[in-house]
Amino acid sequence: MVLALDLGTSAVKAALVDADRGTACGSGRVAYPTRTLPGGGAEQDPAAWLAAARTACEQCFASAGITARRTGDAEIIALGLTGQMQDVVLLGAHPVPALAPAILYSDVRAAGDAQALGELLPRWEAIAGNEQDATSCAATLRRLAREEPDLLARTERVVFGPAGYLAAALGCGAWCDLTTASTTGLLDLSARAWSADVAGALGLSLDLLPDLAQAAPPTRPEGRVGRRGAPAGSGAPEQTGSSGALVGRTDERAAGLLGLPRGIPVVLAPGDAAATTLGAVGLQPGAGYAYLGTSGWVAEVTPAGAARREGASHRLALPDTRARLEISAVLAAGGAADWARAAFLDGASPARADALLAERESSRGRGPSGLLALPSIRGERFPVRDAAARGAVIGMDAATRGIDLYAAVLEGVALALSHALEPGTGGTLPVAGGGAASGPWLRVLADVTGRPVRRIGTEDAAVRGAALAAAGAV
């Protein structure tokens, strides 16, 4: 079996997958909180990631009816890791505990630093291959250098998400997959390497950054070196033809952290956007889908040389050098829906909200709410990039009720995503993520885009992608 973990924005999801049949045998899910701070701060506790991952693994084995971890049919051949990208996690001499709370991809406190870095290095966006803003990890590191220089001085390495942090906690060293790296503002996208120019503009040593786990065609281990010249076997990832990189094996720490034995290969899969793409539609050029998670996006795999879409879309590196991932991401999709249920429906569950939407459809017919809702409750990335953007609902009258406002928010997310699609063209649109479980929301998305939509599977696509990457790597 393969054990796969997706450490997302709101929870860790785990799955045990039969490596021969590709079917999930057990699953687990454990949530963790996000702390919001004045000025647009958003942080999580890396210790909460570890505790949630341990409990999710326990749930996974319990649901599969497995008590032994490495005997007979219960042998685990790989641990695959993916998760949210573009977080800043500071590590000391020992990865556990982290030196400070993780600063999330939705944190917008570094707006001034992003502007200053752009003025200091006018080529910054050209190097990164993407528009940069307050959420850039490079800008966040500049803010920390200004506001907490002592903390940054004690930092030995930086990783950029919970998957990288868990790999470090398991003793595999500091690693970052290329997809995650291309969201940080620190990667030279064309060279697929950390940019000395960006690091220099920040006054940071490249040695502070994690090693890049670059999956590659199979090679002999002799003679390979890592970014710092480390020979194979001393920390450089074992290169494979898969979409994941084998960065180490579990040691005695794994028992306490995840309840796992030593010797299991640890595979760093691509970050959640690419892992979801892999698990949903694959990574071949032309593959595309919509995702309704805490954040939302429309993603398409494009040839590496294709022209970049105009506007606020991102181009992310993929393990295959011949392709890139074009992703147009709204900051709040499921997050906006969660907020709207709390604000307009007295904290109703998603299932209850769907039932109310179905009743509304039954009595009024299927159609637009007549309201305009902007779902940018904490800034926006697409279709505009603006850390100061905030949500609004326009068009209310005396007949407007809470369920109308909730429906408008779902429409607002669909309308935002529709800017990345050609209405009425392109055939069926696959949809993944927790929001895809909502029949009413899928109908809204179909109506807004003019395309039939198809829910992808029942298990989480990112977990599936992590499992595929891990199985391929071993």
Side-chain angles (χ1 to χ4, degrees):
M1 296 184 180
V2 171
L3 176 60
L5 296 177
D6 167 30
L7 295 104
T9 303
S10 57
V12 57
K13 287 148 278 188
L16 268 176
V17 179
D18 186 306
D20 294 321
R21 300 178 180 86
T23 54
C25 306
S27 63
R29 184 186 187 280
V30 179
Y32 34 72
T34 297
R35 185 166 67 111
T36 58
L37 301 167
E43 297 180 345
Q44 288 178 350
D45 183 359
W49 294 340
L50 299 182
R54 171 64 186 256
T55 303
C57 287
E58 292 172 349
Q59 291 177 352
C60 216
F61 285 106
S63 66
I66 294 171
T67 54
R69 300 292 197 266
R70 198 178 172 84
T71 59
D73 292 337
E75 181 182 3
I76 301 172
I77 63 169
L79 170 63
L81 304 176
T82 187
Q84 57 178 305
M85 307 182 295
Q86 201 178 328
D87 301 342
V88 174
V89 190
L90 307 180
L91 310 183
H94 303 285
V96 180
L99 292 179
I103 302 170
L104 300 193
Y105 65 88
S106 54
D107 191 298
V108 295
R109 288 176 290 177
D113 295 278
Q115 181 178 351
L117 184 54
E119 294 170 354
L120 184 63
L121 185 63
R123 295 179 54 250
W124 183 27
E125 291 188 350
I127 292 169
N130 289 293
E131 187 176 336
Q132 300 297 313
D133 61 13
T135 65
S136 165
C137 295
T140 293
L141 288 169
R142 188 180 188 277
R143 179 181 69 81
L144 290 174
R146 284 191 305 102
E147 296 180 355
E148 300 185 70
D150 292 342
L151 175 62
L152 208 56
R154 291 188 288 118
T155 300
E156 296 282 336
R157 303 295 294 275
V158 179
V159 292
F160 296 111
Y165 181 66
L166 182 53
L170 288 168
C172 298
W175 294 99
C176 184
D177 67 277
L178 275 168
T179 303
T180 298
S182 56
T183 68
T184 64
L186 292 154
L187 188 79
D188 184 325
L189 185 61
S190 297
R192 295 165 68 90
W194 296 122
S195 170
D197 288 341
V198 177
L202 293 170
L204 294 178
S205 167
L206 285 175
D207 285 341
L208 192 70
L209 302 180
D211 295 292
L212 290 170
Q214 304 190 48
T219 58
R220 293 181 59 83
E222 292 84 358
R224 287 186 290 105
V225 296
R227 178 176 62 80
R228 300 188 188 187
S234 64
E238 298 180 31
Q239 304 297 335
T240 74
S242 85
S243 53
L246 180 56
V247 297
R249 294 176 183 269
T250 57
D251 59 16
E252 63 280 354
R253 283 168 277 205
L257 286 172
L258 299 178
L260 298 177
R262 62 184 303 145
I264 297 175
V266 178
V267 177
L268 192 60
D272 61 357
T276 300
T277 306
L278 174 61
V281 294
L283 296 180
Q284 67 279 9
Y289 68 103
Y291 180 76
L292 295 174
T294 303
S295 56
W297 60 71
V298 169
E300 181 182 4
V301 181
T302 63
R308 180 174 176 267
R309 180 182 290 133
E310 292 297 323
S313 297
H314 266 296
R315 296 199 80 185
L316 307 182
L318 291 173
D320 188 340
T321 59
R322 298 167 296 180
R324 288 182 180 168
L325 182 62
E326 187 105 14
I327 182 165
S328 305
V330 298
L331 271 179
D338 290 344
W339 168 82
R341 287 194 303 274
F344 304 140
L345 299 179
D346 295 324
S349 68
R352 175 58 181 160
D354 278 354
L356 292 172
L357 288 171
E359 291 175 9
R360 183 177 177 276
E361 283 185 20
S362 178
S363 63
R364 304 186 196 178
R366 177 172 166 182
S369 67
L371 304 170
L372 175 62
L374 304 179
S376 310
I377 54 177
R378 287 184 54 80
E380 195 51 87
R381 286 187 177 177
F382 182 84
V384 297
R385 191 175 301 277
D386 186 351
R390 290 297 180 266
V393 181
I394 300 171
M396 293 175 284
D397 60 26
T400 301
R401 296 294 180 264
I403 190 59
D404 304 313
L405 295 168
Y406 181 65
V409 170
L410 301 190
E411 289 173 358
V413 173
L415 285 162
L417 293 174
S418 74
H419 287 270
L421 299 166
E422 292 294 332
T425 63
T428 299
L429 177 65
V431 185
S438 169
W441 204 354
L442 292 184
R443 292 193 287 276
V444 167
L445 188 61
D447 291 340
V448 166
T449 62
R451 294 171 60 169
V453 300
R454 173 173 61 88
R455 179 186 296 124
I456 300 174
T458 54
E459 72 261 42
D460 185 85
V463 173
R464 181 182 178 88
L468 286 167
V474 297

